Amino acid sequence: MTRPRLTYFDAPVSRGEECRLALHLAGIDFEDNRISQAAWPALKEQTPYGALPVLELPGHPPLAQTNPILLLIGRRHGLHPTDDLEAARHEAMMQHVEELRHNVSPTIRMGDAEKKAAREALVAGFLPAWGKAAERNLGSAAPFFAGDKIHVVDLKLHMAVRWFLGGKVDHIPATIFAAFPKLMGVHDAVRDHPGVKSWYEK
Ligand SMILES: N[C@@H](CCC(=O)N[C@@H](CS)C(=O)NCC(=O)O)C(=O)O
């Protein structure tokens, strides 16, 4: 292996996609290793924590857990604050996105009736509360979390909103976060960022 390799499922979603975007924005020439669901069981036990994404850097053991991967890329390439207090503020919001996933992802594996009930409960309670907390912590900076410069936290917020915006998550409206203009603004600013656009034009 002569260049960094990111391994994730073959879809432009979630934790893997935000790592791909971070690597691309950082200007890193990386191997975008996309695996099929069929290949996953054989690979799972070879990963550090039995989950993806995994980042491999030449000469180092594989790295797992999305936020630490993003923080490494961010710190090395100017996509995460150098001030430790400001960095902690970003990391809290990054953890907030992980908590969204921890609450919604288990519904993916549910049967239809259970999934419908669980997601309707999320729509009634957890999701608006999550959006409200995200909005409150976005403060007055715009268009990104910390103003006019994009950071890895913005990639996570973008992916969180994008998850639902396509309207493909059954029982969760595409407009679930529409009442939160700052959150939607971060989503749009990342979507329109030239570096992000160039990833999708590749
Ligand atoms: N805490 C881990 C969670 C990783 C995770 O759950 N990844 C999912 C895909 S987004 C996965 O690997 N699912 C397959 C499995 O757990 O077998 C992280 O932040 O990276």
Side-chain angles (χ1 to χ4, degrees), residues 92-105:
M93 184 65 96
M94 292 169 73
Q95 185 62 29
H96 190 52
V97 174
E98 283 303 312
E99 284 170 14
L100 172 73
R101 291 178 177 145
H102 288 305
N103 278 271
V104 179
S105 298

Side-chain angles (χ1 to χ4, degrees), residues 119 163-172 174:
R119 288 187 175 169
W163 191 4
F164 307 107
L165 208 52
K168 290 186 177 153
V169 184
D170 291 346
H171 316 297
I172 299 180

Side-chain angles (χ1 to χ4, degrees), residues 8-9 14-16 40 44 50-53 64-67 98 102:
Y8 191 68
F9 300 105
S14 195
R15 298 176 172 108
W40 173 234
K44 184 174 171 78
L52 297 176
Q65 302 290 3
T66 309
N67 282 352
E98 283 303 312
H102 288 305

